[in-house]
Amino acid sequence: MASELEELIGFLDDSRNEVRAMSAEIVAGLTANAEGIEKLKALQRPLVVKLFRSVGLGGDPARKALVALVNLSQDPAVVEMLLDLNVVNRVMEFIRDGAVPHVDLLTSLLANVTISERGCKDLLQIGKGSMEGLHMAVLLKKFVVGGITLCPGDADPFEHVASVLTNVTRLPEARRLLLQPGRGLLQALVSQLQSWNSLRRLGASGALKNCVMSAEEDGTLVCILEDRTVLTHMLRPINGQPPVEKEDTVRECMAEAVLVLAGTDKGRDALWEAGAPEALRKGYEDEQHPGVCVAMERTAEIFLSHSTIDSGVAPGVVGLASASAKQQQQQEQEEQPREGQQEQQPAE
């Protein structure tokens, strides 16, 4: 005899819209907390299958079914189950066809499953021959177009693609795809650093940092540097000029990416030309985040060690490096005991 939960799950793909809606509402509520998820654990596989069917049937219940799937996909074991059920292809089919209007939840589900390396590979379609990169190309196009056409404050259905980009660029295949010459994907990505949507900026900065950190190893450094406007975009969040970047993570990602580029001969030359020393000096004046400050100071030291004081842009670097050295000196002095001060001896 079926349990109440089994009966509830059975109604998720019922032919009657109102019955599906009732069932999806209850299931979504259960997946909103750990206690409810625990109750559903023994029935996770049939539950996930039924939820996908409910999504495909459309109507009001589809959104609640997707909410439940997003909640469940925070569990790595459920992610593996979803990948076994071809979740990436099914979600991308929904996105391409436009049959399911809840793109925000579909992309949020992709963000969760691409936390796993297997999920990233499925999205990149690695080993699928001519199909490789097709899903990513579709997502990137919709992501960039949305960033251009939406007004500040509008609902942004593709904002979670930014998190997907951060996730997948941990893999060299994704980094090479983004940096393919002539496709303009890198330029489209850096443009999101000026988006009004903080999620877009966070995702774009994370993906860019991933690409830069492995550029020498991947052999893609030239691809990053060939368009100098890319460096201008990367410097903007840390140059201290309005509009000031409010997200610490964005500034830290870009400061660390610039530090890595400064450590290479070609990157350092390109940064000089882009006015990086002066941009860093101005940004450093009001920067409060320790991680950003450290990256800027180390970059300034690299510039200073590869330049002369007579260089046209050296004063900015000197000012920043000197400030760093002065702070370090003050800290060391504070840690030293004052002259003539003796350790207090315990009373006999």
Side-chain angles (χ1 to χ4, degrees):
M1 186 174 178
S3 67
E4 289 183 4
L5 282 177
E6 287 173 324
E7 289 182 357
L8 174 66
I9 292 169
F11 288 134
L12 284 169
D13 60 353
D14 193 275
S15 59
R16 295 163 294 179
N17 187 72
E18 64 275 13
V19 174
R20 293 201 313 277
M22 175 198 68
S23 179
E25 179 86 30
I26 296 171
V27 170
L30 286 170
T31 60
N33 58 74
E35 184 181 352
I37 290 175
E38 186 63 31
K39 289 180 180 178
L40 295 167
K41 207 154 196 176
L43 300 168
Q44 277 181 346
R45 189 174 185 87
L47 171 60
V48 167
V49 171
K50 292 280 189 178
L51 286 170
F52 264 115
R53 287 179 184 168
S54 184
V55 172
L57 290 169
D60 294 337
R63 184 168 186 86
K64 288 297 182 182
L66 276 170
V67 168
L69 284 168
V70 171
N71 290 341
L72 290 167
S73 64
Q74 296 178 60
D75 182 344
V78 175
V79 168
E80 288 299 310
M81 184 190 305
L82 287 167
L83 293 172
D84 288 340
L85 294 170
N86 202 25
V87 60
V88 171
N89 287 333
R90 297 180 76 175
V91 168
M92 288 305 302
E93 185 178 341
F94 288 142
I95 290 174
R96 278 197 305 270
D97 296 345
V100 178
H102 314 297
V103 176
D104 57 333
L105 291 171
L106 290 169
T107 52
S108 184
L109 182 56
L110 286 179
N112 283 351
V113 299
T114 53
I115 290 174
S116 84
E117 183 174 335
R118 182 185 169 193
C120 291
K121 289 180 176 179
D122 278 7
L123 183 62
L124 293 167
Q125 298 164 287
I126 294 174
K128 300 297 182 182
S130 60
M131 299 292 288
E132 278 192 359
L134 181 60
H135 287 339
M136 277 303 303
V138 170
L139 279 179
L140 274 168
K141 181 178 180 180
K142 292 183 178 293
F143 178 65
V144 172
V145 170
I148 295 171
T149 57
L150 292 174
C151 297
D154 285 353
D156 188 348
F158 287 98
E159 63 185 6
H160 295 295
V161 174
S163 299
V164 175
L165 291 172
T166 301
N167 292 341
V168 299
T169 49
R170 293 174 300 165
L171 274 62
E173 294 87 349
R175 297 193 294 267
R176 294 190 188 105
L177 173 67
L178 275 172
L179 299 173
Q180 278 183 0
R183 298 192 67 173
L185 298 180
L186 177 62
Q187 291 75 8
L189 184 62
V190 294
S191 70
Q192 299 304 304
L193 290 172
Q194 277 71 60
S195 172
W196 55 267
N197 186 323
S198 61
L199 285 179
R200 284 177 173 264
R201 301 198 309 276
L202 286 163
S205 64
L208 283 166
K209 177 184 172 181
N210 287 345
C211 289
V212 170
M213 290 294 186
S214 303
E216 282 199 297
E217 180 183 346
D218 293 343
T220 55
L221 182 61
V222 173
C223 300
I224 293 173
L225 300 176
E226 63 181 356
D227 184 348
R228 296 303 162 88
T229 61
V230 169
L231 296 181
T232 302
H233 280 293
M234 290 175 63
L235 288 167
R236 196 166 294 165
I238 56 175
N239 66 7
Q241 302 302 302
V244 176
E245 175 54 63
K246 297 178 180 179
E247 297 291 338
D248 291 344
T249 301
V250 174
R251 299 197 311 279
E252 188 168 20
C253 281
M254 290 302 90
E256 290 177 350
V258 168
L259 170 60
V260 171
L261 290 176
T264 68
D265 291 339
K266 291 180 179 178
R268 191 165 51 253
D269 290 344
L271 286 168
W272 275 111
E273 292 179 16
E278 181 63 12
L280 291 171
R281 185 190 66 79
K282 289 181 178 178
Y284 187 80
E285 289 176 354
D286 297 317
E287 183 57 60
Q288 300 295 320
H289 189 273
V292 181
C293 289
V294 168
M296 286 180 162
E297 292 162 5
R298 291 174 62 189
T299 304
E301 290 166 2
I302 291 173
F303 278 135
L304 192 58
S305 66
H306 289 84
S307 65
T308 64
I309 302 300
D310 296 331
S311 173
V313 286
V317 180
V318 172
L320 176 52
S322 298
S324 172
K326 185 176 181 180
Q327 287 180 351
Q328 185 176 358
Q329 186 178 22
Q330 287 176 342
Q331 185 177 356
E332 290 174 352
Q333 288 175 347
E334 289 172 359
E335 292 174 353
Q336 292 175 353
R338 293 179 183 176
E339 187 177 352
Q341 185 177 12
Q342 297 180 356
E343 283 190 32
Q344 186 175 357
Q345 299 297 321
E348 294 183 2

mmCIF file of all heavy atoms in Angstrom, residues 289-316:
data_model
loop_
_atom_site.group_PDB
_atom_site.id
_atom_site.type_symbol
_atom_site.label_atom_id
_atom_site.label_comp_id
_atom_site.label_asym_id
_atom_site.label_seq_id
_atom_site.Cartn_x
_atom_site.Cartn_y
_atom_site.Cartn_z
ATOM 1 N N HIS A 289 39.478 46.979 1.775
ATOM 2 C CA HIS A 289 39.469 45.519 1.869
ATOM 3 C C HIS A 289 40.905 44.977 1.885
ATOM 4 O O HIS A 289 41.699 45.268 0.981
ATOM 5 C CB HIS A 289 38.713 44.927 0.681
ATOM 6 C CG HIS A 289 38.467 43.454 0.807
ATOM 7 N ND1 HIS A 289 39.383 42.515 0.386
ATOM 8 C CD2 HIS A 289 37.421 42.754 1.325
ATOM 9 C CE1 HIS A 289 38.913 41.299 0.623
ATOM 10 N NE2 HIS A 289 37.718 41.421 1.195
ATOM 11 N N PRO A 290 41.281 44.208 2.903
ATOM 12 C CA PRO A 290 42.679 43.738 3.025
ATOM 13 C C PRO A 290 43.162 42.948 1.812
ATOM 14 O O PRO A 290 44.296 43.140 1.362
ATOM 15 C CB PRO A 290 42.633 42.851 4.277
ATOM 16 C CG PRO A 290 41.446 43.316 5.047
ATOM 17 C CD PRO A 290 40.444 43.762 4.033
ATOM 18 N N GLY A 291 42.310 42.057 1.290
ATOM 19 C CA GLY A 291 42.727 41.244 0.153
ATOM 20 C C GLY A 291 43.021 42.062 -1.081
ATOM 21 O O GLY A 291 43.984 41.798 -1.819
ATOM 22 N N VAL A 292 42.200 43.083 -1.330
ATOM 23 C CA VAL A 292 42.409 43.960 -2.484
ATOM 24 C C VAL A 292 43.691 44.762 -2.288
ATOM 25 O O VAL A 292 44.497 44.907 -3.212
ATOM 26 C CB VAL A 292 41.203 44.906 -2.682
ATOM 27 C CG1 VAL A 292 41.422 45.794 -3.901
ATOM 28 C CG2 VAL A 292 39.912 44.109 -2.832
ATOM 29 N N CYS A 293 43.883 45.293 -1.076
ATOM 30 C CA CYS A 293 45.085 46.093 -0.793
ATOM 31 C C CYS A 293 46.359 45.279 -0.998
ATOM 32 O O CYS A 293 47.326 45.754 -1.602
ATOM 33 C CB CYS A 293 45.033 46.632 0.638
ATOM 34 S SG CYS A 293 43.799 47.923 0.895
ATOM 35 N N VAL A 294 46.368 44.064 -0.500
ATOM 36 C CA VAL A 294 47.554 43.213 -0.631
ATOM 37 C C VAL A 294 47.876 42.956 -2.099
ATOM 38 O O VAL A 294 49.043 43.053 -2.521
ATOM 39 C CB VAL A 294 47.350 41.880 0.121
ATOM 40 C CG1 VAL A 294 48.446 40.883 -0.251
ATOM 41 C CG2 VAL A 294 47.355 42.116 1.621
ATOM 42 N N ALA A 295 46.857 42.643 -2.895
ATOM 43 C CA ALA A 295 47.086 42.383 -4.320
ATOM 44 C C ALA A 295 47.617 43.626 -5.020
ATOM 45 O O ALA A 295 48.536 43.545 -5.856
ATOM 46 C CB ALA A 295 45.791 41.909 -4.979
ATOM 47 N N MET A 296 47.066 44.786 -4.686
ATOM 48 C CA MET A 296 47.540 46.042 -5.286
ATOM 49 C C MET A 296 48.988 46.327 -4.902
ATOM 50 O O MET A 296 49.800 46.745 -5.736
ATOM 51 C CB MET A 296 46.650 47.205 -4.836
ATOM 52 C CG MET A 296 45.279 47.254 -5.485
ATOM 53 S SD MET A 296 44.345 48.681 -4.871
ATOM 54 C CE MET A 296 43.075 48.814 -6.128
ATOM 55 N N GLU A 297 49.318 46.120 -3.634
ATOM 56 C CA GLU A 297 50.686 46.379 -3.164
ATOM 57 C C GLU A 297 51.688 45.466 -3.862
ATOM 58 O O GLU A 297 52.763 45.921 -4.288
ATOM 59 C CB GLU A 297 50.756 46.177 -1.641
ATOM 60 C CG GLU A 297 49.975 47.221 -0.849
ATOM 61 C CD GLU A 297 49.687 46.796 0.571
ATOM 62 O OE1 GLU A 297 50.185 45.716 0.972
ATOM 63 O OE2 GLU A 297 48.975 47.518 1.290
ATOM 64 N N ARG A 298 51.335 44.212 -3.987
ATOM 65 C CA ARG A 298 52.246 43.264 -4.649
ATOM 66 C C ARG A 298 52.405 43.594 -6.125
ATOM 67 O O ARG A 298 53.504 43.461 -6.694
ATOM 68 C CB ARG A 298 51.722 41.837 -4.469
ATOM 69 C CG ARG A 298 51.809 41.340 -3.032
ATOM 70 C CD ARG A 298 51.169 39.988 -2.845
ATOM 71 N NE ARG A 298 51.828 38.962 -3.642
ATOM 72 C CZ ARG A 298 51.367 37.727 -3.787
ATOM 73 N NH1 ARG A 298 50.234 37.359 -3.181
ATOM 74 N NH2 ARG A 298 52.028 36.849 -4.510
ATOM 75 N N THR A 299 51.332 44.067 -6.755
ATOM 76 C CA THR A 299 51.415 44.474 -8.161
ATOM 77 C C THR A 299 52.331 45.682 -8.300
ATOM 78 O O THR A 299 53.161 45.754 -9.217
ATOM 79 C CB THR A 299 50.015 44.806 -8.713
ATOM 80 O OG1 THR A 299 49.156 43.685 -8.538
ATOM 81 C CG2 THR A 299 50.085 45.156 -10.194
ATOM 82 N N ALA A 300 52.188 46.650 -7.383
ATOM 83 C CA ALA A 300 53.027 47.844 -7.412
ATOM 84 C C ALA A 300 54.498 47.480 -7.257
ATOM 85 O O ALA A 300 55.366 48.044 -7.929
ATOM 86 C CB ALA A 300 52.593 48.804 -6.304
ATOM 87 N N GLU A 301 54.781 46.536 -6.390
ATOM 88 C CA GLU A 301 56.173 46.106 -6.189
ATOM 89 C C GLU A 301 56.745 45.483 -7.463
ATOM 90 O O GLU A 301 57.918 45.685 -7.797
ATOM 91 C CB GLU A 301 56.237 45.112 -5.033
ATOM 92 C CG GLU A 301 55.971 45.751 -3.667
ATOM 93 C CD GLU A 301 55.704 44.731 -2.574
ATOM 94 O OE1 GLU A 301 55.768 43.515 -2.883
ATOM 95 O OE2 GLU A 301 55.418 45.134 -1.438
ATOM 96 N N ILE A 302 55.887 44.720 -8.184
ATOM 97 C CA ILE A 302 56.343 44.118 -9.448
ATOM 98 C C ILE A 302 56.640 45.204 -10.472
ATOM 99 O O ILE A 302 57.678 45.194 -11.144
ATOM 100 C CB ILE A 302 55.279 43.141 -9.995
ATOM 101 C CG1 ILE A 302 55.181 41.910 -9.101
ATOM 102 C CG2 ILE A 302 55.615 42.723 -11.433
ATOM 103 C CD1 ILE A 302 54.046 40.971 -9.462
ATOM 104 N N PHE A 303 55.740 46.177 -10.597
ATOM 105 C CA PHE A 303 55.961 47.279 -11.539
ATOM 106 C C PHE A 303 57.239 48.029 -11.193
ATOM 107 O O PHE A 303 58.042 48.363 -12.075
ATOM 108 C CB PHE A 303 54.778 48.252 -11.504
ATOM 109 C CG PHE A 303 53.597 47.822 -12.326
ATOM 110 C CD1 PHE A 303 52.322 47.908 -11.814
ATOM 111 C CD2 PHE A 303 53.767 47.353 -13.621
ATOM 112 C CE1 PHE A 303 51.226 47.525 -12.570
ATOM 113 C CE2 PHE A 303 52.684 46.961 -14.378
ATOM 114 C CZ PHE A 303 51.407 47.045 -13.858
ATOM 115 N N LEU A 304 57.417 48.306 -9.911
ATOM 116 C CA LEU A 304 58.572 49.088 -9.489
ATOM 117 C C LEU A 304 59.879 48.349 -9.756
ATOM 118 O O LEU A 304 60.882 48.952 -10.142
ATOM 119 C CB LEU A 304 58.448 49.409 -7.996
ATOM 120 C CG LEU A 304 59.417 50.465 -7.450
ATOM 121 C CD1 LEU A 304 59.259 51.775 -8.193
ATOM 122 C CD2 LEU A 304 59.175 50.664 -5.961
ATOM 123 N N SER A 305 59.857 47.039 -9.592
ATOM 124 C CA SER A 305 61.081 46.262 -9.802
ATOM 125 C C SER A 305 61.436 46.122 -11.283
ATOM 126 O O SER A 305 62.551 45.739 -11.618
ATOM 127 C CB SER A 305 60.931 44.866 -9.180
ATOM 128 O OG SER A 305 59.946 44.120 -9.866
ATOM 129 N N HIS A 306 60.498 46.461 -12.168
ATOM 130 C CA HIS A 306 60.746 46.349 -13.608
ATOM 131 C C HIS A 306 60.705 47.705 -14.297
ATOM 132 O O HIS A 306 60.498 47.807 -15.500
ATOM 133 C CB HIS A 306 59.706 45.432 -14.264
ATOM 134 C CG HIS A 306 59.875 43.993 -13.921
ATOM 135 N ND1 HIS A 306 59.361 43.438 -12.769
ATOM 136 C CD2 HIS A 306 60.515 42.983 -14.569
ATOM 137 C CE1 HIS A 306 59.659 42.150 -12.729
ATOM 138 N NE2 HIS A 306 60.356 41.850 -13.790
ATOM 139 N N SER A 307 60.903 48.789 -13.531
ATOM 140 C CA SER A 307 60.851 50.117 -14.137
ATOM 141 C C SER A 307 61.898 51.005 -13.499
ATOM 142 O O SER A 307 62.609 50.613 -12.583
ATOM 143 C CB SER A 307 59.456 50.726 -13.937
ATOM 144 O OG SER A 307 59.209 50.936 -12.559
ATOM 145 N N THR A 308 61.972 52.244 -13.985
ATOM 146 C CA THR A 308 62.862 53.230 -13.386
ATOM 147 C C THR A 308 62.014 54.411 -12.935
ATOM 148 O O THR A 308 60.912 54.635 -13.408
ATOM 149 C CB THR A 308 63.901 53.734 -14.423
ATOM 150 O OG1 THR A 308 63.193 54.417 -15.478
ATOM 151 C CG2 THR A 308 64.688 52.580 -15.009
ATOM 152 N N ILE A 309 62.556 55.194 -12.033
ATOM 153 C CA ILE A 309 61.827 56.357 -11.516
ATOM 154 C C ILE A 309 61.552 57.357 -12.629
ATOM 155 O O ILE A 309 60.597 58.117 -12.596
ATOM 156 C CB ILE A 309 62.631 57.042 -10.377
ATOM 157 C CG1 ILE A 309 62.895 56.034 -9.271
ATOM 158 C CG2 ILE A 309 61.896 58.259 -9.844
ATOM 159 C CD1 ILE A 309 61.634 55.465 -8.652
ATOM 160 N N ASP A 310 62.407 57.362 -13.659
ATOM 161 C CA ASP A 310 62.248 58.309 -14.763
ATOM 162 C C ASP A 310 61.101 57.916 -15.686
ATOM 163 O O ASP A 310 60.730 58.679 -16.557
ATOM 164 C CB ASP A 310 63.540 58.395 -15.581
ATOM 165 C CG ASP A 310 64.685 58.963 -14.753
ATOM 166 O OD1 ASP A 310 64.378 59.750 -13.829
ATOM 167 O OD2 ASP A 310 65.840 58.619 -15.024
ATOM 168 N N SER A 311 60.570 56.733 -15.530
ATOM 169 C CA SER A 311 59.487 56.278 -16.392
ATOM 170 C C SER A 311 58.277 57.183 -16.223
ATOM 171 O O SER A 311 57.971 57.650 -15.137
ATOM 172 C CB SER A 311 59.103 54.836 -16.044
ATOM 173 O OG SER A 311 57.954 54.457 -16.756
ATOM 174 N N GLY A 312 57.556 57.407 -17.308
ATOM 175 C CA GLY A 312 56.432 58.331 -17.291
ATOM 176 C C GLY A 312 55.343 57.972 -16.311
ATOM 177 O O GLY A 312 54.642 58.840 -15.818
ATOM 178 N N VAL A 313 55.140 56.707 -16.034
ATOM 179 C CA VAL A 313 54.052 56.306 -15.145
ATOM 180 C C VAL A 313 54.561 55.741 -13.832
ATOM 181 O O VAL A 313 53.791 55.273 -13.023
ATOM 182 C CB VAL A 313 53.151 55.254 -15.835
ATOM 183 C CG1 VAL A 313 52.286 55.889 -16.885
ATOM 184 C CG2 VAL A 313 53.970 54.118 -16.416
ATOM 185 N N ALA A 314 55.863 55.818 -13.616
ATOM 186 C CA ALA A 314 56.432 55.241 -12.396
ATOM 187 C C ALA A 314 55.985 55.916 -11.111
ATOM 188 O O ALA A 314 55.834 55.248 -10.097
ATOM 189 C CB ALA A 314 57.958 55.242 -12.471
ATOM 190 N N PRO A 315 55.759 57.263 -11.073
ATOM 191 C CA PRO A 315 55.406 57.880 -9.797
ATOM 192 C C PRO A 315 54.186 57.247 -9.123
ATOM 193 O O PRO A 315 54.149 57.121 -7.903
ATOM 194 C CB PRO A 315 55.126 59.336 -10.192
ATOM 195 C CG PRO A 315 56.008 59.565 -11.370
ATOM 196 C CD PRO A 315 55.993 58.265 -12.124
ATOM 197 N N GLY A 316 53.197 56.870 -9.890
ATOM 198 C CA GLY A 316 52.022 56.235 -9.300
ATOM 199 C C GLY A 316 52.386 54.945 -8.601
ATOM 200 O O GLY A 316 51.915 54.654 -7.508
#
